[in-house]
Amino acid sequence: MDARWTTAEPADSIGDNPRFAASPAEVRRAARAARRDRRGAKDHPKGGALTLRLTRWVGRDVVLVAFVANIAAYLGALALLDGTGAVHTAQTEDWRVAVVVLLVSFQALWLHWVQRQAFGTLCASLVLWFGAVLIGGADPLLLQPGVLLAVFCYAAGRPGRWRGAAVVLFVVATAGVLLADEALHPTPGAPGWRDPAMVVALVLEAAGVVAVPALLGAWYAQLRDRAERIAALAHEIAGREAHRTADAVTATRRTLAQELHDTSSAHLAAILTLSTAAEAGAAAGGTPDPRLIAQIRDEGERLYQGFERMVSRMRHDDRTLAETHQPGPAAGQHTVAQVAELAAGHQRVAEVPVTLRHDPGLAEIDHRLGPLRSHTAYRVVQEALSNARKHAAGTGVTVVLEDDGRSLLLRVENESSPEPGPPNRGGAVVGPHSLSLGYGIEGMRDRLAAVGGSLRTGPRHGGGWAVQALLPHPPHRTGTTDGRHATEG
């Protein structure tokens, strides 16, 4: 019995399960600890777990990080300037320090909207930063992590028409604010803000503060867009490959269905027809006809051989098995040269006259067609004879193969079905029409279309049915023929 339907062992009670014995708070703490351990051990088992967790925390809590970083950068710069005794413009009055801390804190809070409103966040960040610079001096506020992040995120967004112009405008505005700060709080011993050297220095400072993170953001945007294009292309290629695989699988299944139909349909129909004839003879009080039994056994052997050839061909074409796939004609392929044997077999089983005509010889036609087209022609003749045996039993059949050096014209014609009457001398009777699977003509048309051929079927003018197939092949220079080869059964 399938294990899915077997009875499971009785589970422990809820009170015995440690999962439900612990309190909800303990369960949540255990789950969080497990997630942290899993992230650290799974993502970076060689010691990079700390860096990964830090990166995720920064990305998730960017406002808190910028808040702390802005204040720390400002206070650290003040301590560094005072400790080194460098000449600076920093204003260290208590109220100025408090206002500057408040402004840089507000700037960090604005980063909450940086993903949705990058331009508005950048404008607000610059305004707050400009105010802090004018109040507290430029030297301790040149490097504000929150402002740098706002500029970077704005430049890393989707490139627009005015993005470069906006960055240039922000650089000019920053240079103007730095000039104003120099005018309000001049550096001791430095030239005034009107000096060209001071103007150039302040412009370079503004470019370094605003343009550098903007260039980094633009570079990151290019890398991201390139990665997205590569990912989209890979997805498209994968989709096309999936479609090609599905089409190949569908074509293989149709080919297998055609081979199975062509291999089994005719022989099974013959076996059932002969079995019906044997039953009819036994019902009439006679003894079983040894000839019918031999024919049934012969058709069964042919059916087995056909399946054996089909399986061998499938294994021959399997490229996943070592030393099985070889180029050239596939194993078990039939040829036009076997059409004579096929016609003789139809005459022997159906006990009807079969006329076979071909121009030039069958071996020559086989050579002109090649392995694949020759196999297709054989299958078309086989299916046409099988249909004649099923739907027009007891009628004569004519098979004609004519090759003009560029294409093969193949015709299989049968006469009108006779009126129902007693069984023929061999006891064979017409098999039921339910023996037909309904895929014969469709299979012939698919085979011919695969090699560039065409198929026409329909009733004849004088009665009966005709199947005409045209198989083009590479041009072949023909010489003078002595006449038409004909074989009548």
Side-chain angles (χ1 to χ4, degrees):
M1 181 181 293
D2 194 341
R4 293 176 296 176
W5 303 104
T6 56
T7 303
E9 295 295 332
D12 297 333
S13 63
I14 294 179
D16 298 334
N17 195 330
R19 177 182 177 187
F20 296 95
S23 63
E26 294 176 350
V27 172
R28 287 194 296 270
R29 285 196 297 270
R32 286 195 295 268
R35 285 196 296 270
R36 289 195 298 269
D37 296 340
R38 186 164 57 251
R39 289 173 183 173
K42 182 178 179 181
D43 296 334
H44 286 270
K46 295 184 179 181
L50 179 60
T51 303
L52 180 62
R53 287 198 298 269
L54 181 60
T55 304
R56 289 176 175 173
W57 180 69
V58 171
R60 184 176 62 252
D61 302 316
V62 62
V63 174
L64 178 60
V65 173
F67 181 86
V68 175
N70 280 354
I71 297 176
Y74 172 62
L75 297 180
L78 285 179
L80 181 63
L81 291 174
D82 292 338
T84 58
V87 179
H88 58 80
T89 61
Q91 307 300 310
T92 58
E93 291 88 346
D94 291 342
W95 72 271
R96 292 180 184 273
V97 173
V99 172
V100 170
V101 169
L102 186 63
L103 290 175
V104 297
S105 301
F106 283 161
Q107 189 277 325
L109 295 178
W110 268 97
L111 295 178
H112 177 74
W113 295 277
V114 71
Q115 296 296 333
R116 291 174 294 178
Q117 296 291 335
F119 182 76
T121 301
L122 177 59
C123 292
S125 299
L126 290 178
V127 169
L128 293 172
W129 181 56
F130 291 161
V133 167
L134 294 176
I135 294 174
D139 290 341
L141 291 168
L142 283 179
L143 295 179
Q144 278 290 289
V147 177
L148 300 179
L149 181 61
V151 177
F152 178 86
C153 292
Y154 173 73
R158 298 295 177 183
R161 178 179 300 179
W162 303 106
R163 190 172 301 274
V167 171
V168 174
L169 179 62
F170 292 148
V171 171
V172 173
T174 303
V177 171
L178 294 179
L179 286 173
D181 173 68
E182 185 65 26
L184 293 176
H185 313 291
T187 304
W193 64 275
R194 299 176 182 273
D195 188 87
M198 179 60 69
V199 174
V200 172
L202 294 178
V203 170
L204 291 178
E205 288 182 5
V209 173
V210 177
V212 171
L215 292 176
L216 292 177
W219 176 66
Y220 170 78
Q222 291 180 357
L223 294 180
R224 181 197 58 211
D225 294 341
R226 183 180 302 174
E228 290 179 355
R229 288 195 299 268
I230 293 175
L233 182 61
H235 181 73
E236 182 180 358
I237 293 175
R240 292 180 180 178
E241 186 66 23
H243 284 297
R244 284 195 295 267
T245 302
D247 294 341
V249 170
T250 302
T252 302
R253 294 179 62 180
R254 289 181 65 88
T255 302
L256 182 60
Q258 291 172 2
E259 288 292 332
L260 185 62
H261 176 273
D262 296 343
T263 301
S264 61
S265 177
H267 297 299
L268 286 176
I271 290 174
L272 293 177
T273 301
L274 294 172
S275 301
T276 304
E279 290 178 356
T287 59
D289 190 348
R291 188 180 60 177
L292 291 179
I293 297 176
Q295 290 179 348
I296 292 174
R297 183 178 62 252
D298 182 63
E299 291 296 330
E301 292 178 354
R302 291 175 180 271
L303 179 61
Y304 174 79
Q305 293 172 359
F307 278 115
E308 186 179 19
R309 285 193 299 267
M310 185 176 64
V311 173
S312 299
R313 180 180 178 183
M314 291 172 61
R315 290 184 59 85
H316 179 83
D317 290 339
D318 190 357
R319 302 173 188 267
T320 62
L321 299 178
E323 300 180 357
T324 56
H325 176 74
Q326 299 294 335
Q333 270 191 343
H334 296 279
T335 63
V336 171
Q338 297 174 316
V339 170
E341 180 182 354
L342 189 63
H346 179 82
Q347 176 177 326
R348 181 178 63 256
V349 174
E351 295 190 352
V352 294
V354 178
T355 302
L356 174 62
R357 294 197 297 268
H358 49 84
D359 180 25
L362 295 178
E364 178 64 21
I365 295 177
D366 181 30
H367 174 70
R368 296 180 182 182
L369 292 178
L372 182 59
R373 294 183 180 86
S374 183
H375 178 74
T376 301
Y378 176 90
R379 289 301 191 192
V380 171
V381 174
Q382 182 186 38
E383 182 59 29
L385 293 177
S386 177
N387 290 339
R389 184 186 308 170
K390 296 174 187 177
H391 305 289
T395 62
V397 181
T398 301
V399 180
V400 180
L401 294 90
E402 297 178 346
D403 194 298
D404 60 357
R406 293 181 178 272
S407 60
L408 171 67
L409 178 61
L410 192 155
R411 300 198 311 272
V412 180
E413 302 174 347
N414 61 268
E415 302 171 0
S416 300
S417 301
E419 296 296 331
N424 55 20
R425 58 184 179 84
V429 296
V430 179
H433 283 201
S434 60
L435 297 179
S436 177
L437 299 177
Y439 302 120
I441 295 179
E442 181 181 357
M444 287 191 291
R445 183 171 287 110
D446 290 343
R447 286 184 179 277
L448 291 169
V451 294
S454 59
L455 177 71
R456 292 182 60 185
T457 61
R460 300 169 58 196
H461 293 292
W465 192 264
V467 175
Q468 296 184 1
L470 182 67
L471 279 82
H473 58 76
H476 180 80
R477 299 183 62 183
T478 58
T480 305
T481 57
D482 296 335
R484 182 182 303 273
H485 301 273
T487 302
E488 293 188 2

